Amino acid sequence: MSTRYILALDQGTTSSRAIVFDQAGNIRAQAQKEFRQIFPRPGLVEHDAQELWSTQLGVAQEAITQAGLRAHDIAAIGITNQRETVVIWERQSGKPIHNAVVWQDRRTAGECDQLRAAGQEDLIQRKTGLIIDAYFSGTKVRWLLDHVPGARERAERGELAFGTVDSWLVYNLTGGECHITDATNASRTMLYNIHTGAWDDELLELLQVPRAILPEVRPSSEVYGETAEGLLGSRIKIAGIAGDQQAATFGQACLKRGMAKNTYGTGCFMLMNTAGEAVPSRNKLLTTVAWQLGGERTYALEGSVFVAGAVVQWLRDGLGIIRSSHEVEALASSVPDSGGVYLVPAFVGLGAPYWDSYARGSLLGMTRGTTKAHIARAALEAVAFQSAELLEAMQKDSGAALTELRVDGGASNNDLMMQFQADVLGVPVVRPRVTETTALGAAYLAGLAVGYWHSTEEIAAQWQEGQRFEPAMPEDERRRRLTTWKRAVERARGWEDAGA
């Protein structure tokens, strides 16, 4: 087994990727291909499901070839995917009945308003750990069944299959043999009871989703089937599945209660391991399945920041004060601090713990001495402040005190931001040596299932620190900065509503 490798398929929101890992968790080869983003109307986001499949298969073949390997050198395949995105296809032909409806799509916001008005919020949160939002899969499934001609009748006859992107990939990889999902992806649908570990009849009736179209829910690490003949040269076991943020948490080896990771991408996604306890949030966080190994589910609290790396894109494209995203760290470092400037990047409202869709971006504390460098620094600090508020909510909900925050994602390579993050958290921030943690998590789950790795303890021992940022800010200054940040947020809240 030691001369063999694991192939991770990472099907994201903008590209399909494939990475070959060795037994030490190092990257042997990787390939990536972007695909089209389809915007039928403002607020609507779709993908061509066939293109998701063809690009994912193409990069899988390319990564194996780049590594100088053949299919028989691959011990197993692990899959990680953009979560909540919905595909419905014909069981007989394997053809989708509509484009995939993407997690960012807001077409079902009105249905969500109706569910809230009908008093269903408590029921849904109690069973699923989620808030009612168009972000999740359930209302998207209902929309497709109601708006594609004949779909609902065909679904009830068992002619159609629903899946999140992991299900769609496995169905195609196995030549239609497997219609499955794992517990992490199921837990993002608003149809799955995270306590019983099963699709919930009451939720299915509420959202008018026929049981006949649902995939079978399986553990996150298990041999589900094999790739069909002719796809990759010879048949390879498919043995691991997890949604992208859960996979990153596993790849970061946050395997014990109280351990947390933050992924800095377009937005930020922070997950804290709460072990076998599905902790209900009193601070508007999400309770989600982190992974399931055998019959044992591990849970997490999750918080999301809508605008993180996107604030740097705004500095570049909106304000024009930098030409490329890479310039922001040098510009922000040219001043010792933000000069009292606070930027609240509520360009699309605020996520956890506020969930204020009427908040709007605000730039506060400027004087005649304010320069573009102060604004750039305030933008980076805003990402850290937002993440600090998520962590504060998580610690209140879980009762677990954080000892360090593990970080990944593109913006985690910004040393200035990571140092400030450590300062405002008051705990060390640690960037791993291998930062492709999402794909690595999927690889680990697949490898565990086939004996490539033998235990979670072995995986935890593989995790290696790349760089550690120790908090250096005095406690009184940290408190003062956080208090001022919260004042700035209050000035940004309810702006569109109040100004209308």
Side-chain angles (χ1 to χ4, degrees):
M1 192 72 83
S2 61
T3 57
R4 299 181 76 190
Y5 301 85
I6 300 289
L7 175 65
L9 305 183
D10 182 355
Q11 206 297 300
T13 308
T14 58
S15 69
S16 295
R17 306 175 70 213
I19 303 181
V20 177
F21 288 97
D22 66 18
Q23 203 144 22
N26 295 316
I27 294 171
R28 174 74 180 258
Q30 59 183 310
Q32 180 170 352
K33 186 167 179 59
E34 292 190 0
F35 48 79
R36 287 178 303 137
Q37 305 295 307
I38 302 165
F39 306 106
R41 293 199 309 277
L44 273 58
V45 189
E46 297 178 355
H47 292 152
D48 178 343
Q50 296 284 22
E51 193 179 4
L52 299 185
W53 161 236
S54 63
T55 54
Q56 191 65 75
L57 178 61
V59 293
Q61 294 165 335
E62 187 181 341
I64 292 170
T65 302
Q66 268 189 28
L69 304 174
R70 297 194 174 202
H72 62 75
D73 298 313
I74 305 297
I77 291 173
I79 294 171
T80 183
N81 56 287
Q82 53 167 313
R83 304 175 302 172
E84 298 97 13
T85 296
V86 167
V87 187
I88 298 180
W89 65 92
E90 296 172 345
R91 289 187 186 276
Q92 193 165 2
S93 70
K95 183 180 174 183
I97 65 167
H98 191 276
N99 282 336
V101 180
V102 179
W103 60 272
Q104 299 158 314
D105 189 281
R106 305 301 298 173
R107 76 186 64 192
T108 62
E111 288 181 35
C112 292
D113 289 342
Q114 289 168 13
L115 286 169
R116 275 190 292 271
Q120 302 295 349
E121 201 149 20
D122 180 63
L123 170 76
I124 286 173
Q125 183 169 22
R126 186 162 36 84
K127 291 193 171 196
T128 70
L130 308 176
I131 61 168
I132 295 175
D133 197 88
Y135 175 29
F136 303 110
S137 309
T139 56
K140 301 180 197 300
V141 179
R142 178 174 166 179
W143 187 93
L144 285 169
L145 294 179
D146 287 341
H147 287 82
V148 176
R152 181 165 291 284
E153 294 75 16
R154 297 184 68 194
E156 286 166 355
R157 290 198 300 266
E159 295 173 15
L160 303 181
F162 147 68
T164 42
V165 172
D166 57 304
S167 300
W168 171 241
L169 293 180
V170 172
Y171 184 85
N172 283 285
L173 283 165
T174 61
E177 283 183 14
C178 293
H179 180 211
I180 62 167
T181 189
D182 91 301
T184 71
N185 281 291
S187 76
R188 313 297 295 190
T189 61
M190 248 169 41
L191 303 169
Y192 173 84
N193 188 316
I194 61 172
H195 309 287
T196 64
W199 301 117
D200 189 282
D201 286 327
E202 191 175 7
L203 296 173
L204 294 175
E205 186 177 345
L206 181 65
L207 290 168
Q208 298 173 8
V209 174
R211 183 174 277 275
I213 69 170
L214 299 174
E216 180 188 355
V217 182
R218 303 278 286 272
S220 309
S221 178
E222 184 177 274
V223 177
Y224 311 112
E226 293 184 336
T227 57
E229 291 285 353
L231 282 184
L232 297 170
S234 58
R235 303 192 80 172
I236 305 173
K237 290 182 172 68
I238 303 166
I241 301 173
D244 53 10
Q245 299 308 322
Q246 287 97 328
T249 309
F250 201 81
Q252 283 276 35
C254 292
L255 303 174
K256 294 181 179 175
R257 181 182 173 87
M259 295 181 75
K261 71 90 195 173
N262 199 17
T263 298
Y264 297 80
T266 302
C268 277
F269 293 90
M270 186 183 290
L271 273 77
M272 175 184 274
N273 184 328
T274 61
E277 184 186 2
V279 175
S281 177
R282 298 179 306 279
N283 295 280
K284 294 194 173 179
L285 301 175
L286 306 178
T287 307
T288 199
V289 176
W291 50 80
Q292 181 177 332
L293 302 180
E296 189 176 335
R297 283 184 298 280
T298 294
Y299 296 94
L301 283 165
E302 177 176 328
S304 55
V305 168
F306 292 160
V307 175
V311 75
V312 178
Q313 295 170 334
W314 175 71
L315 294 177
R316 181 191 67 197
D317 303 334
L319 294 189
I321 65 175
I322 51 174
R323 286 170 300 182
S324 79
S325 298
H326 301 295
E327 294 175 15
V328 71
E329 186 173 1
L331 178 60
S333 298
S334 69
V335 289
D337 54 46
S338 67
V341 174
Y342 285 76
L343 170 61
V344 182
F347 304 141
V348 290
L350 289 167
Y354 299 101
W355 297 102
D356 183 350
S357 59
Y358 297 106
R360 287 296 177 266
S362 304
L363 193 56
L364 300 155
M366 290 181 291
T367 67
R368 282 291 300 273
T370 299
T371 67
K372 63 183 182 181
H374 292 113
I375 294 171
R377 190 163 185 125
L380 298 185
E381 291 181 354
V383 177
F385 281 130
Q386 291 178 101
S387 297
E389 288 201 281
L390 288 184
L391 191 64
E392 183 183 358
M394 281 183 180
Q395 292 186 140
K396 283 179 183 172
D397 278 341
S398 69
L402 191 74
T403 56
E404 67 179 26
L405 179 68
R406 295 185 173 183
V407 298
D408 54 67
S412 70
N413 294 310
N414 187 311
D415 289 355
L416 178 68
M417 189 198 295
M418 292 302 100
Q419 181 57 55
F420 190 77
Q421 185 72 84
D423 287 343
V424 296
L425 290 177
V427 297
V429 165
V430 188
R431 189 168 60 207
R433 191 175 60 78
V434 177
T435 55
E436 295 291 352
T437 54
T438 304
L440 182 58
Y444 279 150
L445 289 165
L448 278 174
V450 297
Y452 189 81
W453 291 290
H454 299 291
S455 66
T456 53
E457 289 76 18
E458 183 184 352
I459 286 167
Q462 275 201 358
W463 186 88
Q464 290 182 25
E465 184 176 303
Q467 188 163 353
R468 176 175 289 258
F469 301 87
E470 295 283 350
M473 186 180 286
E475 179 64 19
D476 59 342
E477 185 183 350
R478 185 176 80 85
R479 289 181 186 277
R480 180 180 61 78
R481 294 294 307 271
L482 282 165
T483 299
T484 309
W485 162 257
K486 289 179 180 181
R487 281 176 55 214
V489 170
E490 286 308 311
R491 282 163 172 66
R493 292 192 67 187
W495 179 263
E496 185 181 82
D497 197 32

